[in-house]
């Protein structure tokens, strides 16, 4: 039942309002015995003619029934299906889902045309192409396209085709409105599967033009990111991160007609047609417009997260050539918005994926590079032109000559002639000495880079490229020494790669637990060069011999921990000073003190590999634990978003408490708002509202303030207290759920304690499709603690029996015959 009362009329409306209210006022009487509405609240409703009435709306009615009664009582001609209600303040469409909230908040409403008519009128105006009309229609389309009723009618009447044609023909602010409308449409899981490759190329062209306005480039960047995300993997949401591989798997096959048919490959093919696109996107990371920087970061992260094997190497090489990591390092100290912090941490996680992929990418060399062509061709190992070019460059910079096997005893490093020959393979390479001159143990480069892969080769190449004359001098100096006193430069380079990988926990992609910025990690090659120079200096200062390689490596490992400590706050020049100026005696004394506290057993290769395995298991265990906390549910305070207007943020909330719980399908967060805490039953009966997890694009922290007069330590039945009002500032326990639709907030919350804040922020991050990143030191500490505890438990039996663990295992002799099989155990 909807009843009406007369509002206080303005002077110029008094006669007209009094006359119009006389008729509907007769409907305010309630039938005897009729039960009143559940909510007693009064809303104001304004008609198209400017008439404002006060209406008491029955919350049990549907919106269609409310509109029908309004039209009948106000004597409005026309079919009630052609009318709708909107919030007068935010122009939000009133639906059955939010009607109770509008009644409760006493929102001012207005009676307008139904989305059906608005969609038809918008399409008609798009077809006219009149500049002024078109701009106004597109401006309204930005918000209307978010409404399901409007969008369905818009799509059914070929509105998407008209919108795409407009985008290809207009410019300036009109183009910005059109692109924003399309970006909002792409948030829906249907309706835009007909976008063509040529249209995607048009978006790429718009984004690649450095002269376009910022408000044009922002939505164009979002459109490309959403198209990259729209691959087959999103259509089968399981909640499990896809980052368990070094790169994204090929898109899952999807049913015809779905919007999840685009993905990385489709977009990247169009990006390659505009050769300067990535240069422009990376260049915008240094711009002054913070939202443009944020959108550019999200696009780069999306490309790295979804890159497929066909284009992975090309993409990462291009981003490396453009010094993308250096631009991100500058953002670490200059960014001003909290959302960008999460994007930078996501980029760090993606770079862990890149480094791990390079480390596991095998070095495949052929012919004169050290591998028997016939033997490895049968196994599918062909030559790699890129790798051979790197090796050619390294050898040319060394300025050495190839020697024959007559000088083999000088390079056997204590091996017998027979074992040395066997280690160098079966081909003609056995008769030459080439790569051992720069510090490899054999001529078989595929085996030399088995542990570090392409990453080891690239690090050595960057070290040489930084100063070719220095490299030539170092090689000449080592070759002039006695064989047992030579420092194997190439072997030392690979050892430094292993040390740095262990320091930054590059055990597997998707398992990065860093909660802070790591600018030195993003400068991996530069740190490698410094550490390698330190290795060579320690070798010379200590007078080391070939048998002392492990001891010198331990010195380097100790120095890496010291030089790279407090990575977020330390300037680069201090890192250089630690590596270049530390003397051998002080480093050795410090290492001896460390050895008194540590067991050398933990630094052996098999133990380090065991730690890497346990690290992944611990991360997955904590991930499941965090998600279980979300399923269990918890109370939060509805935070106040920080705003420049003090009058806005000081408004007291009538329902300050919110209980949230994740459903067991990991698809929705169900919640309810309340004035007080109350015992919530298991299940979802008490939780009437919900948030779609797939619509959460980011978990932003330190984004809102605790409302005045709210005591987070209150008990279950505590109401809003009367604490003195204080100036609002961001709570360290606050976080916001940001939508994929342009970053608007789906909810602002303040946790009641640090543990709950860590459970939910990291749990929601781990729930993301790309695995997200660990945001709190508490979760990172749990992962590391579980890893160390598991490692010590695994080693109890070995240490108790005093079993010696070798640092490495050599290959055994080949089987005498083929009468064997590989066990599954």
């Amino acid at each position: 039942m909807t009843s009406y009362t007369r509002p206080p009329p303005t002077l110029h409306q008094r006669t007209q309002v009094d006359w119009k209210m006389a008729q509907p006022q007769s409907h305010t009487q309630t039938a005897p015995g009729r039960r009143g509405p559940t909510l007693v609240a009064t809303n104001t409703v304004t008609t198209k003619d400017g008439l404002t009435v006060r209406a008491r709306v029955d919350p049990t009615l549907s919106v269609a029934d409310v509109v029908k009664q309004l039209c009948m009582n106000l004597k409005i001609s026309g079919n009630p299906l052609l009318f709708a209600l909107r919030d007068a303040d935010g122009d939000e469409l009133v639906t059955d889902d939010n009607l109770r909230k509008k009644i409760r908040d006493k929102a001012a409403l207005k009676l307008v045309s139904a989305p059906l008519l608005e969609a038809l009128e918008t399409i008609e105006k798009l077809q006219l192409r009149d500049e002024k009309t078109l701009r106004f229609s597109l401006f309204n389309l930005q918000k209307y396209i978010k409404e399901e009723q409007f969008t369905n009618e818009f799509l059914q009447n070929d509105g998407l085709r008209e919108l795409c044609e407009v985008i290809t023909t207009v410019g300036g602010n009109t183009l910005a409105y059109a692109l924003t409308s399309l970006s909002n449409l792409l948030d829906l899981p249907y309706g835009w599967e007909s976008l063509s490759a040529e249209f995607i190329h048009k978006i790429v062209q718009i984004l690649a033009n450095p002269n376009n306005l910022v408000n044009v480039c922002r939505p164009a960047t979002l459109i490309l990111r959403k198209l990259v995300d729209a691959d087959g993997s999103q259509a089968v949401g399981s909640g499990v991160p896809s980052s368990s591989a070094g790169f994204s798997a090929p898109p899952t096959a999807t049913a015809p007609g779905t919007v999840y048919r685009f993905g990385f490959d489709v977009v990247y093919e169009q990006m390659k047609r505009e050769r300067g696109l990535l240069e422009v996107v990376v260049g915008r990371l240094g711009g002054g417009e913070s939202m443009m920087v944020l959108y550019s970061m999200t696009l780069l992260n999306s490309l790295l997260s979804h890159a497929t094997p066909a284009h992975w190497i090309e993409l990462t090489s291009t981003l490396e050539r453009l010094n993308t990591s250096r631009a991100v390092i500058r953002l670490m100290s200059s960014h001003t918005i909290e959302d960008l912090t999460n994007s930078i941490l996501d980029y760090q996680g993606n770079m862990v994926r890149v480094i791990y992929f390079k480390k596991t990418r095998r070095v495949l060399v052929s012919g004169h590079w050290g591998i028997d062509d016939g033997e490895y061709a049968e196994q599918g190992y062909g030559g790699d032109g890129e790798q051979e070019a790197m090796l050619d460059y390294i050898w040319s910079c060394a300025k050495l000559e190839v020697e024959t096997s007559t000088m083999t005893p000088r390079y056997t490093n204590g091996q017998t002639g027979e074992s040395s020959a066997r280690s160098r393979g079966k081909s003609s390479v056995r008769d030459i000495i080439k790569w051992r001159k720069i510090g490899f143990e054999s001529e078989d480069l595929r085996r030399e880079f088995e542990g570090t892969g392409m990453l080891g080769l690239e690090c050595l190449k960057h070290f040489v490229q930084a100063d070719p004359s220095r490299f030539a001098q170092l090689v000449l100096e080592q070759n002039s020494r006695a064989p047992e006193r030579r420092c194997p430069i190439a072997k030392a380079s690979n050892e430094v790669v292993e040390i740095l990988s262990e320091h930054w926990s590059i055990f597997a992609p998707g398992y990065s637990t860093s909660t802070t910025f790591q600018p030195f990690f993003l400068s991996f090659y530069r740190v490698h060069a410094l550490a390698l120079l330190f290795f060579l200096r320690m070798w010379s200062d200590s007078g080391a011999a070939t048998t002392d390689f492990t001891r010198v490596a331990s010195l380097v490992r100790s120095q890496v921990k010291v030089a790279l400590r407090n990575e977020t706050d330390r300037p680069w020049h201090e890192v250089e000073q630690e590596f270049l100026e530390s003397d051998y005696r002080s480093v050795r004394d410090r290492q001896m003190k460390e050895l008194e506290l540590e067991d050398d057993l933990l630094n052996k290769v098999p133990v380090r590999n065991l730690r890497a395995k346990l690290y992944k298991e611990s991360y997955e265990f904590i991930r499941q634990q965090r998600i279980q906390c979300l399923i269990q549910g918890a109370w939060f305070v509805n935070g106040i978003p920080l705003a420049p207007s003090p009058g806005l943020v000081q408004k007291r909330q009538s329902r300050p408490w919110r209980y949230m719980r994740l459903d067991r399908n990991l698809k929705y967060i169900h919640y309810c708002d309340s004035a007080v805490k109350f015992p919530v039953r298991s299940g979802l009966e008490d939780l009437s509202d919900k948030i779609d997890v797939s619509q959460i694009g980011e978990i932003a922290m330190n984004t809102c303030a605790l409302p005045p007069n709210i005591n987070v330590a209150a008990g279950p039945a505590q109401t809003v207290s009367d604490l003195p009002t204080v100036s609002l500032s961001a709570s360290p326990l606050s976080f916001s759920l940001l939508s994929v639709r342009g970053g608007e907030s789906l909810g602002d919350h303040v946790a009641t304690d640090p543990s709950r804040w860590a459970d939910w922020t990291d749990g929601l991050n781990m729930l993301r499709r790309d695995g997200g990143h660990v945001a709190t030191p508490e979760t990172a500490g749990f992962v590391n603690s579980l890893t160390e505890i598991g490692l010590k438990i695994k080693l109890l039996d070995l240490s108790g029996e005093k079993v010696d663990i070798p640092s490495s295992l050599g290959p055994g002799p080949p089987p005498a015959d083929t009468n064997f099989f590989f066990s599954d155990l």
Side-chain angles (χ1 to χ4, degrees):
M1 185 67 181
T2 306
S3 58
Y4 306 89
T5 57
R6 184 184 338 212
T10 60
L11 181 61
H12 69 280
Q13 289 181 325
R14 184 178 301 275
T15 303
Q16 183 181 13
V17 171
D18 285 349
W19 180 82
K20 286 186 176 291
M21 286 304 299
Q23 187 68 21
Q25 191 169 357
S26 63
H27 295 277
T28 58
Q29 299 177 356
T30 304
R34 179 81 178 261
R35 184 178 179 181
T38 305
L39 296 179
V40 181
T42 303
N43 301 83
T44 60
V45 180
T46 303
T47 66
K48 290 184 177 181
D49 299 329
L51 174 66
T52 301
V53 297
R54 294 174 64 85
R56 181 167 295 171
V57 182
D58 186 347
T60 62
L61 296 178
S62 65
V63 174
D65 290 336
V66 173
V67 172
K68 183 177 180 180
Q69 289 194 23
L70 282 171
C71 293
M72 180 180 63
N73 294 332
L74 297 177
K75 304 298 183 181
I76 297 177
S77 60
N79 190 335
L81 295 177
L82 301 180
F83 294 91
L85 285 174
R86 289 188 179 276
D87 192 323
D89 295 331
D91 214 27
E92 180 185 3
L93 182 68
V94 179
T95 63
D96 292 338
D97 293 333
N98 62 12
L99 177 61
R100 290 180 62 88
K101 185 176 185 300
K102 299 299 180 185
I103 297 173
R104 184 179 65 227
D105 297 342
K106 300 181 181 180
L109 307 177
K110 58 182 180 181
L111 192 64
V112 297
S113 297
L116 166 66
L117 289 180
E118 291 175 332
L120 296 176
E121 291 173 359
T122 300
I123 295 174
E124 182 179 352
K125 292 175 181 177
L126 293 180
Q127 294 171 340
L128 293 177
R129 299 291 197 276
D130 177 70
E131 179 64 25
K132 294 184 179 179
T133 304
L134 185 62
R135 181 179 301 178
F136 182 74
S137 299
L138 289 171
F139 180 81
N140 290 328
L141 183 61
Q142 297 175 104
K143 54 186 176 183
Y144 290 159
I145 203 71
K146 299 178 182 180
E147 300 168 0
E148 182 178 0
Q149 299 177 26
F150 177 94
T151 303
N152 290 340
E153 197 65 34
F154 183 81
L155 295 173
Q156 290 175 8
N157 289 275
D158 215 11
L160 177 59
R161 181 178 63 83
E162 295 295 336
L163 178 59
C164 291
E165 291 183 0
V166 168
I167 290 175
T168 59
T169 56
V170 301
N173 289 330
T174 306
L175 176 60
Y177 299 151
L179 290 171
T180 302
S181 301
L182 179 61
S183 175
N184 292 336
L185 176 63
L186 263 58
D187 289 328
L188 300 176
Y190 61 88
W192 42 277
E193 60 276 356
S194 60
L195 293 179
S196 65
E198 285 304 315
F199 179 76
I200 297 175
H201 181 238
K202 176 63 179 178
I203 301 298
V204 170
Q205 287 180 316
I206 293 173
L207 185 59
N209 187 349
N211 298 321
N212 275 332
L213 299 174
V214 173
N215 61 342
V216 171
C217 296
R218 281 199 301 262
T221 305
L222 282 178
I223 290 172
L224 279 190
R225 180 185 65 80
K226 293 172 183 179
L227 290 173
V228 172
D229 292 343
D231 56 18
S233 63
Q234 286 209 1
V236 193
S238 63
V240 179
S242 62
S243 55
S244 58
F247 42 75
S248 177
T252 307
T254 54
T258 178
V259 298
Y260 300 109
R261 67 176 191 85
F262 298 99
F264 176 86
D265 286 336
V266 174
V267 176
Y268 195 71
E269 286 296 333
Q270 303 307 318
M271 292 174 62
K272 290 196 297 184
R273 295 172 61 182
E274 293 295 323
R275 302 187 62 179
L277 174 63
L278 284 175
E279 286 87 342
V280 173
V281 173
V282 173
R284 289 190 175 121
L285 296 181
E289 215 282 325
S290 58
M291 294 307 297
M292 187 69 253
V293 174
L294 175 62
Y295 291 164
S296 298
M297 279 294 300
T298 58
L299 175 59
L300 293 174
N301 282 328
S302 183
L303 290 171
L304 288 169
S305 298
H306 294 83
T308 54
H311 302 290
W312 172 267
I313 296 175
E314 181 181 3
L315 173 66
T316 54
S317 299
T318 302
L319 293 179
E320 183 179 326
R321 176 176 57 82
L322 297 174
N323 293 319
T324 307
S325 292
R326 187 172 300 178
V328 174
I329 291 173
R330 287 194 293 266
L331 285 178
M332 291 179 176
S333 58
S334 63
H335 77 284
T336 57
I337 56 177
E338 181 63 29
D339 298 348
L340 195 53
T341 299
N342 295 320
S343 293
I344 293 174
L345 291 175
D346 285 341
Y347 180 82
Q348 281 185 183
N350 283 321
M351 291 313 296
V352 170
R353 182 180 293 109
V354 171
I355 295 295
Y356 180 81
F357 171 72
K358 289 184 176 182
K359 192 170 183 287
T360 55
R361 178 186 168 193
R362 305 178 71 174
V363 173
L364 304 177
V365 286
S366 61
H368 61 285
W369 298 107
I371 293 186
D372 189 330
D373 284 332
E375 177 184 353
Y376 288 97
E378 295 177 0
Q379 302 180 29
Y381 301 125
D384 188 301
E386 179 190 9
Q387 296 172 355
E388 291 184 356
M390 290 184 182
L391 291 168
D392 264 333
Y393 175 78
I394 293 171
W395 178 254
S396 64
C397 291
K399 298 180 180 180
L400 297 174
E401 297 293 334
V402 179
E403 296 184 14
T404 63
S405 60
T406 55
M407 299 182 66
T408 298
R410 293 177 55 192
Y411 297 90
T412 57
N413 294 331
Q415 297 178 348
T416 64
E418 180 183 355
S419 62
S420 177
R422 183 171 60 246
S423 69
R424 293 193 300 275
K426 303 176 182 179
S427 69
S428 59
V429 176
R430 293 175 300 175
D431 302 323
I432 64 173
I433 300 171
K434 180 178 180 180
W435 299 109
R436 280 169 289 170
K437 281 193 166 188
I438 63 173
F440 289 108
E441 291 186 305
S442 70
E443 301 297 321
D444 188 346
L445 297 184
R446 178 175 171 270
R447 192 182 70 178
E448 294 294 327
F449 288 106
E450 188 174 9
T452 59
M454 187 66 176
L455 178 62
L457 178 56
E458 288 189 356
C459 285
L460 181 58
K461 182 246 184 180
H462 278 82
F463 176 77
V464 175
Q465 193 175 32
D467 194 341
S469 60
R470 177 189 62 188
F471 175 70
Q473 182 180 357
L474 289 172
V475 171
L476 181 61
E477 178 185 347
Q478 297 304 322
N479 278 272
S480 65
R481 296 181 178 180
E484 66 276 5
R485 292 294 178 182
R486 294 172 186 161
C487 177
I489 298 176
K491 182 181 178 182
S493 174
N494 284 337
E495 183 66 21
V496 170
V497 171
E498 292 283 10
I499 292 172
L500 294 179
S501 299
E502 179 185 355
H503 175 77
W504 280 307
S505 302
I506 305 174
F507 300 137
Y511 294 97
S512 174
T513 56
S514 172
T515 61
T516 57
F517 293 155
Q518 293 180 316
F520 303 151
F521 166 69
L522 297 183
S523 302
F524 193 97
Y525 297 130
R526 297 177 67 191
V527 175
H528 168 270
L530 287 175
L532 181 53
L533 288 175
F534 180 80
F535 192 110
L536 297 173
R537 188 160 58 86
M538 291 298 103
W539 184 282
S540 298
D541 292 351
S542 63
T546 305
T547 55
D548 296 322
F549 186 89
T550 303
R551 179 177 60 81
V552 178
S554 299
L555 289 174
V556 176
R557 181 175 290 105
S558 173
Q559 188 68 10
V560 163
K561 294 178 182 178
V562 173
L564 301 182
R565 69 186 185 278
N566 301 328
E567 187 169 348
T568 304
D569 305 320
R570 299 194 73 197
W572 176 254
H573 70 86
E574 291 187 8
V575 178
E576 290 183 318
Q577 183 178 2
E578 292 279 3
F579 279 117
L580 299 179
E581 299 181 10
S582 297
D583 63 277
Y584 167 74
R585 183 55 57 189
S586 60
V587 174
R588 179 62 177 167
D589 290 344
R590 185 190 66 239
Q591 187 209 21
M592 294 303 296
K593 293 180 180 179
E594 293 173 351
L595 290 177
E596 294 177 1
L597 304 175
E598 296 180 3
D599 189 349
D600 185 59
L601 175 68
L602 300 179
N603 291 324
K604 292 191 175 182
V605 175
V607 178
R608 282 152 48 191
N609 293 337
L610 176 61
R611 179 189 281 112
K613 178 183 177 182
L614 294 174
Y615 183 90
K616 291 185 286 184
E617 294 177 357
S618 300
Y619 184 96
E620 187 60 28
F621 178 84
I622 294 298
R623 178 180 179 273
Q624 293 299 328
Q625 185 271 337
R626 291 297 193 230
I627 291 177
Q628 287 300 317
C629 290
L630 271 60
I631 294 175
Q632 183 178 358
W635 281 101
F636 297 89
V637 176
N638 284 318
I640 299 178
L642 300 182
S645 172
L648 177 63
V649 298
Q650 292 289 347
K651 182 178 179 181
R652 176 180 295 184
Q653 299 185 12
S654 59
R655 305 166 75 86
W657 294 100
R658 170 172 293 187
Y659 188 88
M660 296 195 296
R661 176 181 290 157
L662 178 69
D663 66 9
R664 295 194 175 274
N665 293 326
L666 311 183
K667 292 184 177 180
Y668 295 97
I669 297 175
H670 298 261
Y671 70 92
C672 68
D673 294 332
S674 175
V676 296
K677 290 183 181 180
F678 63 90
V680 181
R681 293 175 292 178
S682 60
L684 306 174
E685 294 82 3
D686 295 336
L687 310 176
S688 56
D689 299 311
K690 63 182 179 181
I691 298 173
D692 189 345
V693 173
S694 65
Q695 295 301 308
I696 301 176
E698 189 173 354
I699 314 299
M701 295 177 292
N702 303 326
T703 54
C704 53
L706 191 67
N709 308 324
I710 297 297
N711 181 10
V712 295
Q718 180 72 29
T719 60
V720 177
S721 59
D722 294 325
L723 299 176
T725 302
V726 296
S727 58
L728 297 181
S729 59
S731 170
L733 302 181
S734 63
F735 64 95
S736 297
L737 311 181
L738 302 184
S739 170
V740 294
R741 300 183 178 183
E744 61 189 37
S745 177
L746 300 175
D748 303 291
H749 313 95
V750 180
T752 56
D753 57 73
S755 294
R756 185 163 298 172
W757 178 73
D759 289 344
W760 279 75
T761 53
D762 285 329
L764 290 170
N765 266 316
M766 293 172 169
L767 200 62
R768 289 165 52 186
R769 185 170 302 278
D770 59 356
H773 59 268
V774 173
T776 66
E778 179 176 331
T779 300
F782 283 155
V783 174
N784 292 326
S785 297
L786 279 178
T787 302
E788 295 303 319
I789 292 173
L791 181 63
K792 292 177 180 178
I793 292 176
K794 293 284 187 182
L795 296 177
L796 277 178
D797 293 338
L798 297 177
S799 60
E801 298 295 333
K802 296 183 179 180
V803 176
D804 183 36
I805 300 179
S807 298
S808 62
L809 293 176
D817 52 44
T818 59
N819 187 23
F820 67 90
F821 65 93
F822 293 101
S823 173
D824 293 333
L825 300 179

